[in-house]
Amino acid sequence: MKVSTLGTGDKGGSTKIEFYFPTDPGYRDTARMLVESGLVLALQLKDVGVGGGVYTPAACQGTLLTKRLTDTGSSFTVLK
């Protein structure tokens, strides 16, 4: 699965990124994302740095989760 996103800043700048998941996104990579999210909370909670509220794993774990996912097979590429 390849997820491509184009973001535009409030001053008109733009960036395109691609996040690639190498195996079955319906089961295998979903399980890997859940495990890596749990490991961030278990092993790196002090580095998460968000206060109370409800967050998605990507919103509260950010680069910690991205690094764990790329270290285990995904790729994250800034194209523009």
Side-chain angles (χ1 to χ4, degrees):
M1 176 175 73
K2 187 183 292 185
V3 178
S4 298
T5 303
L6 178 64
T8 304
D10 59 358
K11 295 184 180 176
S14 65
T15 299
K16 183 176 181 181
I17 63 108
E18 286 184 353
F19 213 140
Y20 173 72
F21 298 90
T23 63
D24 175 28
Y27 177 73
R28 180 178 261 172
D29 268 332
T30 298
R32 186 169 60 88
M33 287 183 265
L34 289 170
V35 167
E36 295 301 341
S37 295
L39 288 171
V40 169
L41 294 177
L43 303 174
Q44 298 174 279
L45 183 59
K46 66 178 178 12
D47 299 324
V48 171
V50 294
V54 178
Y55 296 89
T56 65
C60 75
Q61 297 174 0
T63 57
L64 298 171
L65 179 56
T66 301
K67 178 160 179 13
R68 292 192 77 86
L69 291 173
T70 57
D71 287 350
T72 58
S74 290
S75 64
F76 181 78
T77 309
V78 178
L79 300 171
K80 180 179 174 186

